[in-house]
Amino acid sequence: MTLKGHVHYVGVNDRVKHRFEGLWFLPQGVSYNSYLIADSEAVALVDTVDAAFFGEYIEKIQAIIGERPIDYLIVNHMEPDHSGSLALIRKYYPGVRLVGNAKTLEMVDGFYGARHEGDLCVGDGDSLSLGHHRLRFYLTPMLHWPETMMTYCETEGILFSGDAFGCFGALNGHIVDTEMDTHDYWPEMERYYAAILGKFGAPVQKGLQKLGSLDLRMICSTHGPVWVNEIGRAIETYRRFSAGETEEGLVICYGSMYGHTQRMAEAVAEGAAEAGMRRIVIHNLSVSQPSYVLLDIFRYSCVAVGGPTYNGGVFPVVEDLLKRLAGRSVAKHKLGVFGGFTWSSQAVKCIERYNEQMKMQLVSPPIEWKQGVGADDLAAARALGRAFKA
Ligand code: FEO
């Protein structure tokens, strides 16, 4: 698939993997995007694909360049969904020179033992000419690994952005947004951000600042569609999420063994509804997939977390969410806490301890009940719901 002139798409679709990184649900698969620039003086490959797809991948490359060798493999990101075929590319093309920064090349050794003397170590702002195309490299550390960088083709205005601006969801025939209905990919970009980049708001903001002056005519990320018409929307999505901007809304996240916490969660929702909150989402954490819960938390301004005491702490599915949130930028959210116990009060204390890391703002003192919930407890939960709208 030719994207522009001598720039080609050579990515693949993974419709088999059930969970990305072993964690995040993939109901519509995922694409591993790689790009080939077959220029007059040199051929460059930008990132590779998961090694499981190497057979299909090398066929796509050879269909474009035939017997011509690859001169450079530009490594924007070392996570193995993109670097997985690096060592095999090196075997097929022994003369290929890797292009990466100092951290990249150290990881090439660590992951694959495949660093060669002729590899190019680039710094921020360095450039490389392929003949017609001039590439410039921008280091974007912690977006979302320390070695991540982006490659900008000055000739065509194409940004090879790595994971940034990517999304879950395999590509269904189309590659470029100009030719497809992108509707289903936008929530998947937000879910990808919440799951993968949600901890790295500050580095994302820095990266956006660094790219701000570039003339962007095409964004080629490593997952999902190539952006041409909707570059602005992709950048705005990243700006909004990385700044912690949310819409008004309440996400109620709870775990329940025998229904008491669930009744309290319903009462919190009723209170918020009474107070005029229009957008309320409830996740039973024993049922909801974590990335969808995180997505809603990144979208909406208020979070209520509740669960029973369990083995001296909080119910495990609730603790799992708290651990995930503690590693993400969520400090601008309002938080409500509710928890129960039968003989030893631990759930509320545990949620509060996690909030020392999450740093959300408590809207009211936590609500706690012993054994079964009564009318007073449900009234307190409704008051908590109302407090989110105050
Ligand atoms: Fe798509 Fe961070 O790998």
Side-chain angles (χ1 to χ4, degrees):
M1 160 87 195
T2 300
L3 295 177
K4 180 107 200 242
H6 300 296
V7 182
H8 306 269
Y9 177 85
V10 288
V12 298
N13 287 310
D14 187 341
R15 301 180 196 275
V16 177
K17 188 175 281 179
H18 192 58
R19 287 175 190 263
F20 190 73
E21 294 182 340
L23 288 171
W24 313 109
F25 191 42
L26 285 177
Q28 302 299 329
V30 67
S31 70
Y32 309 122
N33 300 345
S34 169
Y35 304 91
L36 187 69
I37 309 170
D39 207 331
S40 52
E41 289 175 16
V43 173
L45 189 60
V46 184
D47 293 311
T48 71
V49 302
D50 187 305
F53 296 85
F54 187 75
E56 176 186 346
Y57 180 50
I58 195 72
E59 272 183 29
K60 287 186 176 191
I61 291 170
Q62 290 179 336
I64 295 165
I65 57 173
E67 295 301 311
R68 223 179 143 192
I70 295 175
D71 300 283
Y72 299 106
L73 168 52
I74 294 157
V75 186
N76 283 326
H77 183 22
M78 276 299 294
E79 196 164 2
D81 50 336
H82 310 299
S83 70
S85 293
L86 182 155
L88 288 166
I89 285 288
R90 185 139 250 178
K91 281 204 170 118
Y92 264 74
Y93 300 100
V96 70
R97 301 173 77 187
L98 305 189
V99 182
N101 57 70
K103 288 195 171 82
T104 317
L105 296 179
E106 186 236 316
M107 288 187 191
V108 167
D109 246 350
F111 274 103
Y112 306 108
R115 186 173 175 176
H116 286 188
E117 273 199 356
D119 293 340
L120 288 182
C121 185
V122 295
D124 195 38
D126 286 355
S127 67
L128 173 69
S129 174
L130 305 176
H132 176 62
H133 297 84
R134 173 167 289 279
L135 306 178
R136 197 167 294 281
F137 306 103
Y138 292 94
L139 304 198
T140 51
M142 299 319 298
L143 207 161
H144 63 120
W145 276 23
E147 88 302 355
T148 42
M149 65 179 203
M150 298 190 193
T151 299
Y152 177 62
C153 171
E154 294 179 338
T155 318
E156 302 286 7
I158 301 175
L159 181 69
F160 300 98
S161 62
D163 283 338
F165 313 117
C167 50
F168 295 130
L171 292 166
N172 302 327
H174 296 300
I175 308 292
V176 185
D177 68 354
T178 51
E179 297 162 0
M180 67 168 83
D181 179 352
T182 58
H183 180 267
D184 292 344
Y185 289 100
W186 293 107
E188 287 296 77
M189 178 183 283
E190 294 183 344
R191 189 167 70 93
Y192 185 92
Y193 184 99
I196 310 296
L197 287 146
K199 180 181 176 183
F200 303 104
V204 171
Q205 292 263 303
K206 259 192 199 162
L208 291 174
Q209 230 171 11
K210 190 177 270 195
L211 305 171
S213 60
L214 299 182
D215 169 25
L216 297 182
R217 281 167 265 159
M218 183 180 281
I219 293 182
C220 295
S221 86
T222 45
H223 300 289
V226 166
W227 305 114
V228 174
N229 278 354
E230 299 184 273
I231 288 174
R233 184 170 177 182
I235 291 174
E236 174 57 15
T237 300
Y238 266 62
R239 187 203 64 71
R240 201 162 34 84
F241 269 37
S242 61
E245 279 181 22
T246 50
E247 303 166 41
E248 186 184 76
L250 171 61
V251 189
I252 301 169
C253 313
Y254 75 94
S256 187
M257 284 187 284
Y258 297 107
H260 298 284
T261 311
Q262 174 155 324
R263 287 190 69 195
M264 292 292 277
E266 301 283 4
V268 173
E270 288 162 16
E274 279 164 25
M277 183 79 80
R278 294 189 66 80
R279 186 69 186 143
I280 301 168
V281 186
I282 303 183
H283 284 290
N284 177 346
L285 299 174
S286 295
V287 176
S288 293
Q289 293 284 338
S291 58
Y292 290 92
V293 182
L294 292 174
L295 165 62
D296 283 328
I297 291 173
F298 269 79
R299 280 179 174 166
Y300 301 115
S301 53
C302 305
V303 184
V305 179
T309 296
Y310 192 92
N311 281 350
V314 69
F315 194 48
V317 293
V318 179
E319 182 155 24
D320 178 73
L321 174 70
L322 293 167
K323 277 184 187 159
R324 294 175 198 258
L325 282 177
R328 284 172 170 74
S329 311
V330 289
K332 291 184 181 169
H333 284 71
K334 290 184 191 171
L335 175 67
V337 176
F338 55 107
F341 66 97
T342 300
W343 68 92
S344 169
S345 157
Q346 296 298 332
V348 161
K349 290 189 189 85
C350 184
I351 298 169
E352 285 181 308
R353 270 199 304 279
Y354 275 102
N355 196 39
E356 288 168 17
Q357 291 168 265
M358 302 185 306
K359 297 186 173 26
M360 295 189 192
Q361 303 141 45
L362 278 173
V363 288
S364 67
I367 300 172
E368 192 173 39
W369 68 94
K370 184 174 180 180
Q371 297 160 5
V373 294
D376 289 350
D377 303 310
L378 293 169
R382 276 193 289 274
L384 171 62
R386 289 194 296 273
F388 284 111
K389 187 67 181 166

